[in-house]
Amino acid sequence: IIHSESSHIQVHTTTVSSTPNNTGFKTHTTWTVFGDGTINLDSQFEPFGQLPPLPRLGVVMHIANDYDMFRWHGRGPHENYSDRQQSAQMGIWSGSVDAQYVPYPRPQETGTKTDIRWLSLTNNNGKGLLVVTDQPIAASALHYTAHDLSRAQHTYELTPRQQVVLSLDARHSGLGNGSCGPGVLPRYEIKPQPVEMKLSIRPCQTGTNKDIAESARRYDYE
């Protein structure tokens, strides 16, 4: 469904993803596109059926490879998760997309940052995109999808993609210690419950921390 006004256009979509066991998600999304290039996203995720705890819940975007400088206002500078936050301080951090990948002996989930208020991906000229969130999210910027990492048994089996895989998660599970101990504690699990995620994607005209932060503060969710 498309609604058009003089200042913007709205696209409303509903998608259903299900399994043979009649479990899955219904997702309602409203994209609001403005003339200055800003895109506001409002997604509502509605699980149905008997789903287990979820690894993550959000959206994934593939961005041109030129935008390989990652900045974020959240926990850092290293990867962190809901049950791995004590050593990760709040601040404005930056690094290349390549640097976000941690080469574990067996490829696995990596590079996520939590409590993110805004993030940007910019090119060598400081231009790119800025994502500002309604509520803190988890996010990662890598050259691999979650499927790339989960299907590989060794690092040599991985081939970096020629895009930046930007994951924006309204909810992201903790890691637990399943490799040699217990799994995720209940308080860090992602229950299959309705979740809403609001964020704004806007053009970024400069790659300096000060200017990006100032632009993020002017964010309007309406």
Side-chain angles (χ1 to χ4, degrees), residues 30-174:
T30 298
W31 301 86
T32 305
V33 184
F34 297 88
D36 65 353
T38 297
I39 302 174
N40 286 356
L41 169 67
D42 184 348
S43 284
Q44 300 175 21
F45 306 98
E46 299 178 0
F48 59 86
Q50 298 299 312
L51 288 167
L54 306 171
R56 64 205 304 174
L57 188 58
V59 299
V60 178
M61 304 178 184
H62 287 217
I63 311 298
N65 200 36
D66 292 344
Y67 303 99
D68 60 355
M69 175 53 66
F70 181 44
R71 287 181 173 83
W72 70 97
H73 179 203
R75 293 189 179 274
H78 48 268
E79 65 174 6
N80 53 90
Y81 296 82
S82 59
D83 58 354
R84 299 284 196 281
Q85 290 187 331
Q86 190 168 358
S87 66
Q89 303 302 310
M90 288 295 297
I92 297 177
W93 310 99
S94 63
S96 68
V97 171
D98 283 338
Q100 307 312 307
Y101 169 70
V102 180
Y104 292 109
R106 176 172 179 172
Q108 56 192 280
E109 163 63 38
T110 186
T112 290
K113 314 300 189 297
T114 60
D115 289 342
I116 287 182
R117 295 288 187 174
W118 60 258
L119 63 86
S120 68
L121 287 168
T122 54
N123 61 16
N124 290 336
N125 296 321
K127 299 182 184 299
L129 61 87
L130 168 68
V131 177
V132 188
T133 67
D134 182 23
Q135 298 292 330
I137 64 171
S140 63
L142 300 166
H143 287 300
Y144 307 100
T145 65
H147 181 62
D148 293 337
L149 296 171
S150 65
R151 70 180 179 181
Q153 300 295 310
H154 307 89
T155 54
Y156 71 81
E157 297 172 334
L158 289 171
T159 300
R161 290 178 177 263
Q162 295 303 308
Q163 307 92 28
V164 177
V165 180
L166 178 64
S167 299
L168 307 170
D169 297 319
R171 301 286 188 274
H172 197 295
S173 174

